[in-house]
Amino acid sequence: MRRRRLLAALLLGATLTLPVAAAPVTLNLKDADINALVESMSVLTGRNFIVDPRVKARVTLISSRPMDEKELYEVFLSVLAVHGFAAVPSGKVIKIIPAAGAKQENIPTVEQLRGVESDQIVTRVIQVENVSAAQIVPILRPLIPPQGHLAAYTPTNVLIISDSAANVERIASIISRIDRASNEEVEMLPLRHASATEIVRVLTALEQGKARADPAGGVGTPTRMVADERTNSILLSGDQASRLRLRALITHLDTPVDSGGNTQVIYLRYAKAKDMVTVLQGVSKSLSNEATRNAPMAGAQAAGGAPPGGSSSGGSGNLVDIQADEATNSLVITAPPDLTRSLRSVIAQLDVRRAQVLVEAVIAEISAEKTAELGVQWVASADFAVGFTNLGTDTSSLANIIGLAAQANEGDLTNLSAARVPSGMQMAFGDFSGNNRFGALISALAKDADTNVLSTPTVVTLDNEQAEIIVGQNVPFVTGNYTTGTTSGSSSSTVGNPFQTINREDVGIKLKVKPQINEGNAVKLEIEQEVSSVVPSANAATQGPTTNKRSIKTKVLVENGQVLVLGGLIDDKLDESAQKVPLIGDVPVLGNLFRYRNTTKLKRNLMVFLHPMILRDANEGNLYTSDKYSYIRQQQQAAREGANYLLPNVQAPILKPQNEVKTQGTILNLDTPPPPAPAAPPAPPPVAPESGFENK
């Protein structure tokens, strides 16, 4: 009777307030409101529920036997799951919410599903041991409903699953079958004759062709092969059947070949073939000696003490031949395969792109010269005596000036040279008309000269390659002369074939540098810097030119981009000289008329700085080249704007802009010829005049 009353209440949607019944209950519902079912479950199980407003549905439940409290709650959870709802425990209450948002609630996280209803929403963290968790996710994703959650955490290789307890248990069972250690092993196969890299290349192409022919791939894990060039071995991994098949192929390929087929041509990219031959010959000799020493040891390790068959290492030293072909910059190597592999490894490490070094030397010289001369010279003559003071030097002496005056007075100016004309101010006065003649010459000179020279020779060279740049003149120096003579009777005359020997030398700025890039950004430089110039002098025609020379030869270590001073010269020189007549020249005030003084002060500062830059790639080279290119083009533009040409339509040459150089492929700014004039249309053929006669 009590069960009938409960069933009627469920059908009518009434709220039950009866205590929890210990006797089993049979539920049969047809199109009942789900909220009424929740109220009945609260009465029958004694649990408190919070129903989300979105929980609305009509349920139908048919049962043929009575169920106890646990079975009723499991059926209740199944009904909620069928209609897209879930029961989420939260303390002493259970929240009934849509299943899509259940994974974001405080659902329980369990390790095992003991004591948990099958339709209860739970979260479980499963540790994967042998395979990658991220690779399992795409396989298991179709087994998880949309409201569930499946994700992999790669750092710890675990899977996180949120779904009903029954589905989580099913997923865990599938993972346990997938997460098993395979029988894949790794074995190393050393080769004696063939190259491991070549064999791996051949077998990899073979396996790829087989995979394309059989997309299913068959049973077993894929086989992987890796070549170890250092030991000339192949690392082979995969299932046992695949490894056995590949091992047989490798054994057949690792066979010695005829010595005539051991010739290989290796093309070099950066190194010079001729220079590398010497290094490789030394390496091959060392490798051959080592192979000869190891051959008896290998034979002793073989069974019965016999040497291993097929080994040609013992006599490989006589089979190595290395030649360089300079036309193609390649090496022709004839050697056994093992030595060829070793030589190839050496070549690969030597044939690398070397960095370049931009070396900029800055030569700065500042000099100042001040000169002052002041003196008085006298001359007096009578009938029986002549007296004079000749205190000056060279062109400033009184004797030189009197000679110039006499030569000019006679009108003979043909031998008057600029070298004899005194510099400075010369003022003379006196009387040479009577018997007692006298004259005085006052000489005064003030000279102030300043010099500021800045030279920046720049050169780019490869690492460990010497470079030299010279900017100057080739000056001739007379080193000797010879004249033949002939004698006729008692008189001798110099005739014949005179000649001189001349040696030409470069005078100007010279920079010779050899950089070596060390570890990091340090550059070791061997520097030879020279600055020379020709000094104009009066005796250059007879004794040859005189040169000033400043040179530095040193080795320094400079960081990349650092400015380092190589050396310098600071010269401060003061020369004072005085000429006077004894006793009279010491008289105060009056003694200045019998005195000649000369003071010269020379101060010179010379410094040489060095600025190296490492150009490791083409981009850095373009960067520094662009700066120099733009500077020269700006100077050319300034010279063109300030020039004045007499010829019309003539301008100074100028470099192209850099963007045009990139697009047109040339830096020459050539004038394009004018387009040819259009050809005149052909004249029409002449028309014969009408004659009035027709051919009959």
Side-chain angles (χ1 to χ4, degrees), residues 5 10 18 34 53 129 146 178 294 346 363 506 519 543 590 598 626 664 691:
R5 195 164 55 247
L10 291 173
L18 298 175
I34 192 171
E129 299 291 343
I178 297 176
N294 294 336
V346 174
I363 305 168
D506 295 327
E519 183 179 0
Q543 300 179 4
L590 183 61
N598 184 4
S626 177
Q664 300 178 8
S691 60

Side-chain angles (χ1 to χ4, degrees), residues 238-256:
D239 58 272
Q240 185 176 3
S242 299
R243 287 188 282 109
L244 182 61
R245 177 176 57 85
L246 292 176
R247 192 186 308 123
L249 292 175
I250 294 173
T251 303
H252 286 292
L253 293 176
D254 186 26
T255 55

Side-chain angles (χ1 to χ4, degrees), residues 3 11 49 161 186 225 234 286 347 358 360 362 373 384 393 454 500 546 583 611 666 671 692:
R3 285 182 296 180
L11 294 174
F49 297 95
I161 307 175
V186 178
M225 293 171 288
I234 297 178
S286 176
I347 293 172
L358 169 68
E360 182 178 12
V362 180
E373 296 181 11
F384 303 101
T393 60
L454 180 64
Q500 291 181 336
T546 302
L583 300 179
H611 180 224
T666 177
D671 296 333

Side-chain angles (χ1 to χ4, degrees), residues 186-209:
V186 178
E187 58 179 313
M188 185 176 68
L189 302 178
L191 304 183
R192 300 178 60 187
H193 307 285
S195 172
T197 304
E198 291 297 322
I199 289 185
V200 167
R201 182 184 61 81
V202 173
L203 295 182
T204 301
L206 179 64
E207 292 297 312
Q208 290 176 352

Side-chain angles (χ1 to χ4, degrees), residues 203-271:
L203 295 182
T204 301
L206 179 64
E207 292 297 312
Q208 290 176 352
K210 180 181 177 183
R212 287 192 295 267
D214 184 14
V219 181
T221 59
T223 307
R224 295 186 295 274
M225 293 171 288
V226 178
D228 181 20
E229 297 183 2
R230 186 180 64 86
T231 60
N232 195 37
S233 304
I234 297 178
L235 299 177
L236 192 64
S237 68
D239 58 272
Q240 185 176 3
S242 299
R243 287 188 282 109
L244 182 61
R245 177 176 57 85
L246 292 176
R247 192 186 308 123
L249 292 175
I250 294 173
T251 303
H252 286 292
L253 293 176
D254 186 26
T255 55
V257 296
D258 188 13
S259 60
N262 288 344
T263 301
Q264 297 188 16
V265 178
I266 303 175
Y267 295 94
L268 304 182
R269 300 177 59 189
Y270 305 105

Side-chain angles (χ1 to χ4, degrees), residues 454-516:
L454 180 64
S455 302
T456 57
T458 304
V459 64
V460 179
T461 181
L462 283 173
D463 182 24
N464 273 327
E465 294 291 342
Q466 181 172 297
E468 182 178 3
I469 183 173
I470 299 176
V471 180
Q473 295 178 330
N474 193 258
V475 180
F477 290 85
V478 178
T479 58
N481 52 45
Y482 180 77
T483 304
T484 60
T486 60
T487 303
S488 177
S490 61
S491 64
S492 63
S493 61
T494 303
V495 294
N497 185 21
F499 66 89
Q500 291 181 336
T501 58
I502 297 176
N503 185 21
R504 292 185 173 271
E505 296 183 5
D506 295 327
V507 176
I509 300 174
K510 300 180 184 179
L511 174 62
K512 186 183 295 185
V513 59
K514 183 178 181 181
Q516 178 183 346

